[in-house]
Amino acid sequence: MKGPMPQGLEIAGRGFGSRLIIGTGGFRSLEAVGRAVAASGAEMATVAMRRVDPSTRGSLLGVLEEHGCFVLPNTAGCFTARDAVTTARLAREALGTEWVKLEVIGDDRTLLPDASELLEAAEELVADGFTVLPYTTDDPVLARRLEDAGCAAVMPLGSPIGSGQGILNPYNLRLIVEQARVPVILDAGIGTASDAALAMEAGCDGVLLASAIARAENSAAMGTAMRKAVEAGYEARRAGRIPRRLYGEASSPTEGVAELT
Amino acid sequence: MPRVVLNGDDRALPEGATVADAVRETGAAPDGRGMAVALGGEVVPRGKWQVRELREGEQVEVLHAVQGG
């Protein structure tokens, strides 16, 4: 078991008041991003790197800055270690940050990570001075290899990106949490608030999600729900739940019951 | 007139055109804030945009942050 966790999330010596990290992909507009970020209370938000488009209106970075959000660039869209490393370096140049959400996809239908490319990219980026937060499968051995490679956190998926299937392998997640000495962030697959609460109850240090908020019918309202779910799950984990029992256990005294017949 | 591939499009640029000229050519804000450039898959630091001349056939990618992740 881990020791008592600080109230906020700490990654690589940097503190965040919220344990919810929000992805900015999938929102209909920048205004919707702003409303959801505010409602979710997130203090860190991911962005992607793409070709400049002069027709783009408004400033995503401006909106995130306005809400006091730390910007975490990702390497989404990369299928090789080489592309992911270059994308991370471009993000560092563009945004002046050495933090990166490392994502190397191995299959374009399931969007599952490519384990060997991911590990190779992580090693190269750590050696180049990056603070690497890898999006990974829920494989406890790979999580340990990424941690040993010097990653600042491990971010296992609950289920495929955007699938909304929640946490498909709670057992693997539990193993990852038990062994990790860096923060564990559940990343991908969250569908609704109970999934986020379950991740935190399982002992995750934080939750990263995008689609569950961005594609909800009312994204701002779902932002609020996710903020509460992450807080509730975290508090419940610290509070210590009761064991599961096969039979019921009365909560009222069994002594002093009146004889009424 | 070097012909380059700028963000996926073939472009003919004036002789002696630099990375900074390519950035301008994309229509992006000229200060280049929040942007980064790769030439043939290698990052060109902002400090070299004005001096690095483009060569025939080079692949130029000009990127910025968008919603994602």
Side-chain angles (χ1 to χ4, degrees), chain A residues 23-27 29-30 33 46-54 56 60-61 65 74 82 86 89-90 93-95 210, chain B residues 7-8 23 26-28 33-38 40-47 49 59 61-69:
Chain A
T24 59
F27 286 92
S29 65
L30 280 183
V33 172
T46 67
V47 299
M49 298 301 295
R50 290 291 180 272
R51 288 169 171 168
V52 296
D53 175 1
T56 306
L60 173 61
L61 297 178
E65 195 177 335
N74 68 25
R82 187 188 147 80
T86 303
R89 288 179 179 146
L90 284 164
E93 177 73 14
L95 305 172
Chain B
N7 281 357
V23 170
T26 64
R33 191 170 163 263
M35 281 183 254
V37 176
E42 295 293 327
V43 180
V44 183
R46 187 177 308 266
W49 288 6
Q59 198 169 326
E61 294 285 344
V62 184
L63 307 183
H64 68 163
V66 301
Q67 284 176 234

Side-chain angles (χ1 to χ4, degrees), chain A residues 60-243:
Chain A
L60 173 61
L61 297 178
V63 168
L64 296 178
E65 195 177 335
E66 189 186 316
H67 289 90
C69 253
F70 179 78
V71 175
L72 179 66
N74 68 25
T75 61
C78 293
F79 282 75
T80 63
R82 187 188 147 80
D83 282 0
V85 167
T86 303
T87 301
R89 288 179 179 146
L90 284 164
R92 176 169 65 183
E93 177 73 14
L95 305 172
T97 179
E98 296 195 319
W99 286 51
V100 65
K101 172 185 164 176
L102 179 61
E103 192 174 326
V104 190
I105 300 303
D107 179 83
D108 60 7
R109 283 215 307 165
T110 59
L111 305 177
L112 290 171
D114 184 315
S116 63
E117 296 289 318
L118 180 67
L119 190 58
E120 186 185 328
E123 285 167 349
E124 196 169 339
L125 288 170
V126 167
D128 196 14
F130 280 86
T131 296
V132 180
L133 284 64
Y135 163 65
T136 174
T137 54
D138 56 11
D139 175 357
V141 177
L142 180 57
R144 189 164 55 208
R145 293 287 299 272
L146 289 163
E147 181 178 334
D148 291 345
C151 291
V154 288
M155 306 209 295
L157 53 78
S159 51
I161 295 170
S163 72
Q165 294 194 61
I167 299 165
L168 293 181
N169 196 334
Y171 171 73
N172 272 19
L173 185 61
R174 195 173 145 198
L175 290 182
I176 291 171
V177 166
E178 287 284 335
Q179 74 187 15
R181 288 154 294 156
V182 294
V184 177
I185 311 293
L186 196 284
D187 181 4
I190 298 283
T192 187
S194 52
D195 296 330
L198 280 173
M200 297 305 291
E201 287 173 24
C204 289
D205 298 287
V207 170
L208 195 166
L209 53 86
S211 304
I213 292 179
R215 302 194 203 281
E217 279 186 40
N218 182 334
S219 56
M222 190 58 91
T224 303
M226 290 301 183
R227 172 172 57 77
K228 292 178 175 174
V230 168
E231 287 172 5
Y234 175 69
E235 295 295 341
R237 166 78 175 188
R238 287 179 32 112
R241 61 154 296 156
I242 62 165

